[in-house]
């Protein structure tokens, strides 16, 4: 019997929806193509990628206008460990391993149709989270994940 993979959550400190991550890579942005849709004018259509690997979350900005931020400085490629905070555009998040009683969706958050089957902001089993081949943006793997 294999062990159940760890699930992580990005908990917002300023009213954005909690993002659950259970492996793979997630594309974050305003576009309906994204795995995680964040409704903010400060979030680009394809803003960043998130990848959960071992005990860290890796964040890669995809050339967004308002960037990703760690420790108050704009950074295009970084990792965070449990308890650390960072920002995607104007959405502030704290990375934590999920404890079901502590993780809730923010009031008024929107869910995509696919979330009815897979929970808020999780990937369907077998999905890589990568943009589709029809996407106009080329896929670039996160540094250091090989």
């Amino acid at each position: 019997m294999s062990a159940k993979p760890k699930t992580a959550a990005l908990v917002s400190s300023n009213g954005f929806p909690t993002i659950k991550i259970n492996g793979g890579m997630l594309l974050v942005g305003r576009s309906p193509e994204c795995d995680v849709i964040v409704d903010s004018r400060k979030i680009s259509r394809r803003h960043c990628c998130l990848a959960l690997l071992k005990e860290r979350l890796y964040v890669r900005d995809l050339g967004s206008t308002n960037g990703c931020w760690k420790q108050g400085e704009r950074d295009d490629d970084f990792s965070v460990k449990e308890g650390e905070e960072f920002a995607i555009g104007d959405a502030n998040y704290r990375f934590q391993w999920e404890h079901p009683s502590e993780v809730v969706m923010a009031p008024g958050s929107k869910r995509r149709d696919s979330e009815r089957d897979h929970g808020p902001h999780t990937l369907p089993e077998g999905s890589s989270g990568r943009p589709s081949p029809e996407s106009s943006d080329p896929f670039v793997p996160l540094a250091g994940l090989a």
Side-chain angles (χ1 to χ4, degrees):
M1 183 192 309
S2 64
K4 184 177 178 183
K6 282 187 171 183
T7 301
L10 302 181
V11 180
S12 175
S13 62
N14 62 340
F16 285 89
T18 293
I19 300 171
K20 291 185 181 184
I21 306 169
N22 60 2
M25 191 172 297
L26 296 173
L27 177 61
V28 179
R30 283 191 339 255
S31 172
E33 298 174 342
C34 294
D35 301 302
V36 179
I37 300 170
V38 181
D39 188 17
S40 169
R41 296 189 84 188
K42 300 285 184 175
I43 304 291
S44 296
R45 287 177 298 187
R46 285 182 219 97
H47 198 98
C48 66
C49 286
L50 305 175
L52 190 60
L53 183 66
K54 297 183 181 177
E55 299 298 315
R56 293 189 166 267
L57 176 74
Y58 291 83
V59 180
R60 174 75 158 315
D61 188 89
L62 298 175
S64 67
T65 301
N66 292 301
C68 294
W69 301 77
K70 183 179 178 186
Q71 298 178 340
E73 294 191 24
R74 189 169 178 156
D75 196 340
D76 291 339
D77 197 3
F78 59 90
S79 68
V80 292
K81 59 186 179 185
E82 184 171 24
E84 289 186 326
E85 296 182 0
F86 68 99
I88 300 171
D90 62 340
N92 298 324
Y93 288 103
R94 183 183 75 254
F95 172 60
Q96 71 179 41
W97 292 108
E98 184 178 16
H99 307 287
S101 62
E102 297 175 12
V103 178
V104 296
M105 294 295 289
S109 63
K110 295 180 182 178
R111 292 182 175 215
R112 294 176 19 191
D113 289 341
S114 63
E115 291 169 355
R116 281 182 252 162
D117 298 327
H118 306 292
H121 308 299
T122 59
L123 287 176
E125 195 164 318
S127 173
S128 69
R130 294 181 177 180
S132 66
E134 297 82 32
S135 173
S136 61
D137 293 339
F139 175 76
V140 180
L142 293 168
L145 294 183

